[in-house]
Amino acid sequence: MEEYRVKMSRRPRSTGDGEKRFYVPKSMVQKNDEIYLALRLVCDRRQFGECFRRLMPSQFDRMGSDSGVMIRGFIPSGDMVPRMNFPGDIDLLVIPYEGEDMIVSSALAIELKAVRPTFQKQGKSPGDFGFSQAAGMLQHGFPYVAVGHLIVSDASPEHAWRKVLQTKVIDAAAGTVEEPWETAVDMMPADLIKRSFGRLQANCKFPELGLLASYVSENGSWIPQGKQATFNGLVSSDTMLAIAQYYEQNVDSFLDTPKYPPPLA
């Protein structure tokens, strides 16, 4: 089908570097709640971009200097799509834009699950993979749908760390680096990403779904693994219209995430 674009009447207030945007209860932080992990992901714009690139590579690659995405988390489904009661929430809604146009036909709905393994129980998986909720979003006609597992864990003891090579960038523009040297690193996050993504692939019965495994870290970033979401053959013009209307009615609750940082003043 042709692209369905809608002109934005206005945009949400931009959030600057280091600015506070979300406040969550301490209890959510302590138990690594799905909402808390999702907010950490979308606030880490570089990491979110890596995730979006894996779920929507064609969209990501053609985004120009005036492009980005509008993100809204945990929308009660019935508030957007009438008579939609399963899943109860749309965990993340991601709407690409170009200039002042929202590309509603490329909107992505993501079902999120928290995965909380430990060093002693690295094979721990979520009780529910999220596929049934994602299938519900496919049935209700969202253009693109994905399941994402957000991983958080404790650290490995140092005796379990592995030797890797490390280097330091001398000149990013020229691509020069220092001579690599050997160091020991806790590689459990990379192992958990690989294991989680493998489980997603092995258990998914819906070929249209995008799949994502991303480690949520306070220190540095780990490269996520993902599978591209494909266009939903059951896409609904009513649902796309509902997405555009929800944005217009709730502009200030969306997070504007441009692909490229704005130029310095």
Side-chain angles (χ1 to χ4, degrees), residues 181-198:
W181 66 90
E182 191 176 84
T183 187
V185 174
D186 182 1
M187 294 296 292
M188 185 169 69
D191 296 337
L192 296 175
I193 291 169
K194 182 178 179 180
R195 181 179 288 111
S196 182
F197 183 63

PDB file of all heavy atoms in Angstrom, residues 181-198:
ATOM      1  N   TRP A 181      45.032  -3.958  23.145  1.00  0.00           N
ATOM      2  CA  TRP A 181      45.647  -4.674  24.251  1.00  0.00           C
ATOM      3  C   TRP A 181      44.615  -5.598  24.890  1.00  0.00           C
ATOM      4  O   TRP A 181      43.413  -5.425  24.723  1.00  0.00           O
ATOM      5  CB  TRP A 181      46.218  -3.701  25.282  1.00  0.00           C
ATOM      6  CG  TRP A 181      45.188  -2.865  26.001  1.00  0.00           C
ATOM      7  CD1 TRP A 181      44.539  -3.152  27.160  1.00  0.00           C
ATOM      8  CD2 TRP A 181      44.690  -1.585  25.578  1.00  0.00           C
ATOM      9  NE1 TRP A 181      43.681  -2.147  27.498  1.00  0.00           N
ATOM     10  CE2 TRP A 181      43.757  -1.160  26.555  1.00  0.00           C
ATOM     11  CE3 TRP A 181      44.950  -0.744  24.487  1.00  0.00           C
ATOM     12  CZ2 TRP A 181      43.067   0.045  26.470  1.00  0.00           C
ATOM     13  CZ3 TRP A 181      44.265   0.459  24.405  1.00  0.00           C
ATOM     14  CH2 TRP A 181      43.343   0.840  25.384  1.00  0.00           C
ATOM     15  N   GLU A 182      45.065  -6.570  25.601  1.00  0.00           N
ATOM     16  CA  GLU A 182      44.197  -7.586  26.198  1.00  0.00           C
ATOM     17  C   GLU A 182      43.690  -7.108  27.551  1.00  0.00           C
ATOM     18  O   GLU A 182      44.417  -6.510  28.339  1.00  0.00           O
ATOM     19  CB  GLU A 182      44.970  -8.904  26.356  1.00  0.00           C
ATOM     20  CG  GLU A 182      44.096 -10.090  26.720  1.00  0.00           C
ATOM     21  CD  GLU A 182      44.887 -11.390  26.767  1.00  0.00           C
ATOM     22  OE1 GLU A 182      45.497 -11.644  27.823  1.00  0.00           O
ATOM     23  OE2 GLU A 182      44.907 -12.109  25.739  1.00  0.00           O
ATOM     24  N   THR A 183      42.399  -7.393  27.806  1.00  0.00           N
ATOM     25  CA  THR A 183      41.804  -7.076  29.101  1.00  0.00           C
ATOM     26  C   THR A 183      40.721  -8.103  29.399  1.00  0.00           C
ATOM     27  O   THR A 183      40.287  -8.847  28.505  1.00  0.00           O
ATOM     28  CB  THR A 183      41.214  -5.655  29.099  1.00  0.00           C
ATOM     29  OG1 THR A 183      40.797  -5.310  30.423  1.00  0.00           O
ATOM     30  CG2 THR A 183      40.022  -5.554  28.159  1.00  0.00           C
ATOM     31  N   ALA A 184      40.285  -8.165  30.649  1.00  0.00           N
ATOM     32  CA  ALA A 184      39.225  -9.097  31.060  1.00  0.00           C
ATOM     33  C   ALA A 184      37.918  -8.327  31.217  1.00  0.00           C
ATOM     34  O   ALA A 184      37.893  -7.237  31.787  1.00  0.00           O
ATOM     35  CB  ALA A 184      39.597  -9.789  32.357  1.00  0.00           C
ATOM     36  N   VAL A 185      36.830  -8.890  30.707  1.00  0.00           N
ATOM     37  CA  VAL A 185      35.522  -8.225  30.712  1.00  0.00           C
ATOM     38  C   VAL A 185      34.444  -9.236  31.096  1.00  0.00           C
ATOM     39  O   VAL A 185      34.518 -10.412  30.726  1.00  0.00           O
ATOM     40  CB  VAL A 185      35.207  -7.628  29.322  1.00  0.00           C
ATOM     41  CG1 VAL A 185      33.794  -7.066  29.276  1.00  0.00           C
ATOM     42  CG2 VAL A 185      36.217  -6.556  28.961  1.00  0.00           C
ATOM     43  N   ASP A 186      33.443  -8.750  31.827  1.00  0.00           N
ATOM     44  CA  ASP A 186      32.268  -9.568  32.125  1.00  0.00           C
ATOM     45  C   ASP A 186      31.412  -9.630  30.865  1.00  0.00           C
ATOM     46  O   ASP A 186      30.745  -8.656  30.503  1.00  0.00           O
ATOM     47  CB  ASP A 186      31.482  -8.949  33.281  1.00  0.00           C
ATOM     48  CG  ASP A 186      30.261  -9.779  33.681  1.00  0.00           C
ATOM     49  OD1 ASP A 186      30.035 -10.842  33.072  1.00  0.00           O
ATOM     50  OD2 ASP A 186      29.539  -9.349  34.600  1.00  0.00           O
ATOM     51  N   MET A 187      31.420 -10.774  30.195  1.00  0.00           N
ATOM     52  CA  MET A 187      30.708 -10.930  28.926  1.00  0.00           C
ATOM     53  C   MET A 187      29.325 -11.562  29.095  1.00  0.00           C
ATOM     54  O   MET A 187      28.683 -11.899  28.101  1.00  0.00           O
ATOM     55  CB  MET A 187      31.550 -11.778  27.966  1.00  0.00           C
ATOM     56  CG  MET A 187      32.848 -11.109  27.524  1.00  0.00           C
ATOM     57  SD  MET A 187      32.579  -9.597  26.570  1.00  0.00           S
ATOM     58  CE  MET A 187      31.840 -10.261  25.070  1.00  0.00           C
ATOM     59  N   MET A 188      28.858 -11.695  30.338  1.00  0.00           N
ATOM     60  CA  MET A 188      27.545 -12.301  30.533  1.00  0.00           C
ATOM     61  C   MET A 188      26.432 -11.547  29.799  1.00  0.00           C
ATOM     62  O   MET A 188      25.528 -12.193  29.246  1.00  0.00           O
ATOM     63  CB  MET A 188      27.211 -12.429  32.019  1.00  0.00           C
ATOM     64  CG  MET A 188      25.892 -13.166  32.261  1.00  0.00           C
ATOM     65  SD  MET A 188      25.601 -13.625  33.984  1.00  0.00           S
ATOM     66  CE  MET A 188      25.330 -12.007  34.722  1.00  0.00           C
ATOM     67  N   PRO A 189      26.424 -10.188  29.761  1.00  0.00           N
ATOM     68  CA  PRO A 189      25.364  -9.521  28.997  1.00  0.00           C
ATOM     69  C   PRO A 189      25.270  -9.993  27.544  1.00  0.00           C
ATOM     70  O   PRO A 189      24.166 -10.221  27.031  1.00  0.00           O
ATOM     71  CB  PRO A 189      25.744  -8.041  29.090  1.00  0.00           C
ATOM     72  CG  PRO A 189      26.459  -7.928  30.394  1.00  0.00           C
ATOM     73  CD  PRO A 189      27.248  -9.204  30.499  1.00  0.00           C
ATOM     74  N   ALA A 190      26.413 -10.164  26.878  1.00  0.00           N
ATOM     75  CA  ALA A 190      26.390 -10.633  25.485  1.00  0.00           C
ATOM     76  C   ALA A 190      25.827 -12.050  25.399  1.00  0.00           C
ATOM     77  O   ALA A 190      25.069 -12.373  24.479  1.00  0.00           O
ATOM     78  CB  ALA A 190      27.796 -10.586  24.894  1.00  0.00           C
ATOM     79  N   ASP A 191      26.181 -12.888  26.367  1.00  0.00           N
ATOM     80  CA  ASP A 191      25.658 -14.258  26.378  1.00  0.00           C
ATOM     81  C   ASP A 191      24.144 -14.259  26.589  1.00  0.00           C
ATOM     82  O   ASP A 191      23.414 -15.039  25.954  1.00  0.00           O
ATOM     83  CB  ASP A 191      26.330 -15.065  27.488  1.00  0.00           C
ATOM     84  CG  ASP A 191      27.826 -15.233  27.279  1.00  0.00           C
ATOM     85  OD1 ASP A 191      28.286 -15.118  26.122  1.00  0.00           O
ATOM     86  OD2 ASP A 191      28.541 -15.479  28.271  1.00  0.00           O
ATOM     87  N   LEU A 192      23.663 -13.378  27.474  1.00  0.00           N
ATOM     88  CA  LEU A 192      22.226 -13.319  27.765  1.00  0.00           C
ATOM     89  C   LEU A 192      21.441 -12.807  26.566  1.00  0.00           C
ATOM     90  O   LEU A 192      20.338 -13.286  26.279  1.00  0.00           O
ATOM     91  CB  LEU A 192      21.979 -12.432  28.979  1.00  0.00           C
ATOM     92  CG  LEU A 192      22.563 -12.926  30.308  1.00  0.00           C
ATOM     93  CD1 LEU A 192      22.345 -11.890  31.405  1.00  0.00           C
ATOM     94  CD2 LEU A 192      21.947 -14.268  30.715  1.00  0.00           C
ATOM     95  N   ILE A 193      22.003 -11.830  25.849  1.00  0.00           N
ATOM     96  CA  ILE A 193      21.343 -11.334  24.641  1.00  0.00           C
ATOM     97  C   ILE A 193      21.200 -12.457  23.618  1.00  0.00           C
ATOM     98  O   ILE A 193      20.126 -12.671  23.046  1.00  0.00           O
ATOM     99  CB  ILE A 193      22.141 -10.156  24.045  1.00  0.00           C
ATOM    100  CG1 ILE A 193      22.053  -8.925  24.949  1.00  0.00           C
ATOM    101  CG2 ILE A 193      21.626  -9.810  22.643  1.00  0.00           C
ATOM    102  CD1 ILE A 193      23.014  -7.821  24.565  1.00  0.00           C
ATOM    103  N   LYS A 194      22.284 -13.186  23.401  1.00  0.00           N
ATOM    104  CA  LYS A 194      22.256 -14.277  22.430  1.00  0.00           C
ATOM    105  C   LYS A 194      21.253 -15.350  22.830  1.00  0.00           C
ATOM    106  O   LYS A 194      20.479 -15.845  21.996  1.00  0.00           O
ATOM    107  CB  LYS A 194      23.655 -14.892  22.307  1.00  0.00           C
ATOM    108  CG  LYS A 194      23.756 -16.013  21.281  1.00  0.00           C
ATOM    109  CD  LYS A 194      25.188 -16.535  21.190  1.00  0.00           C
ATOM    110  CE  LYS A 194      25.299 -17.672  20.179  1.00  0.00           C
ATOM    111  NZ  LYS A 194      26.700 -18.181  20.079  1.00  0.00           N
ATOM    112  N   ARG A 195      21.222 -15.706  24.116  1.00  0.00           N
ATOM    113  CA  ARG A 195      20.305 -16.748  24.592  1.00  0.00           C
ATOM    114  C   ARG A 195      18.852 -16.283  24.470  1.00  0.00           C
ATOM    115  O   ARG A 195      17.985 -17.025  24.001  1.00  0.00           O
ATOM    116  CB  ARG A 195      20.629 -17.095  26.046  1.00  0.00           C
ATOM    117  CG  ARG A 195      19.730 -18.199  26.630  1.00  0.00           C
ATOM    118  CD  ARG A 195      20.109 -18.532  28.056  1.00  0.00           C
ATOM    119  NE  ARG A 195      21.374 -19.256  28.134  1.00  0.00           N
ATOM    120  CZ  ARG A 195      22.497 -18.758  28.644  1.00  0.00           C
ATOM    121  NH1 ARG A 195      22.539 -17.524  29.125  1.00  0.00           N
ATOM    122  NH2 ARG A 195      23.594 -19.484  28.685  1.00  0.00           N
ATOM    123  N   SER A 196      18.581 -15.046  24.859  1.00  0.00           N
ATOM    124  CA  SER A 196      17.216 -14.528  24.805  1.00  0.00           C
ATOM    125  C   SER A 196      16.707 -14.437  23.369  1.00  0.00           C
ATOM    126  O   SER A 196      15.571 -14.828  23.069  1.00  0.00           O
ATOM    127  CB  SER A 196      17.153 -13.152  25.476  1.00  0.00           C
ATOM    128  OG  SER A 196      15.839 -12.647  25.482  1.00  0.00           O
ATOM    129  N   PHE A 197      17.553 -13.956  22.473  1.00  0.00           N
ATOM    130  CA  PHE A 197      17.143 -13.844  21.073  1.00  0.00           C
ATOM    131  C   PHE A 197      16.924 -15.222  20.463  1.00  0.00           C
ATOM    132  O   PHE A 197      15.981 -15.426  19.684  1.00  0.00           O
ATOM    133  CB  PHE A 197      18.187 -13.071  20.280  1.00  0.00           C
ATOM    134  CG  PHE A 197      17.802 -12.843  18.848  1.00  0.00           C
ATOM    135  CD1 PHE A 197      16.691 -12.085  18.537  1.00  0.00           C
ATOM    136  CD2 PHE A 197      18.543 -13.394  17.809  1.00  0.00           C
ATOM    137  CE1 PHE A 197      16.321 -11.867  17.214  1.00  0.00           C
ATOM    138  CE2 PHE A 197      18.178 -13.188  16.493  1.00  0.00           C
ATOM    139  CZ  PHE A 197      17.072 -12.427  16.192  1.00  0.00           C
ATOM    140  N   GLY A 198      17.760 -16.171  20.820  1.00  0.00           N
ATOM    141  CA  GLY A 198      17.582 -17.539  20.329  1.00  0.00           C
ATOM    142  C   GLY A 198      16.253 -18.124  20.758  1.00  0.00           C
ATOM    143  O   GLY A 198      15.578 -18.805  19.970  1.00  0.00           O
TER     144      GLY A 198
END
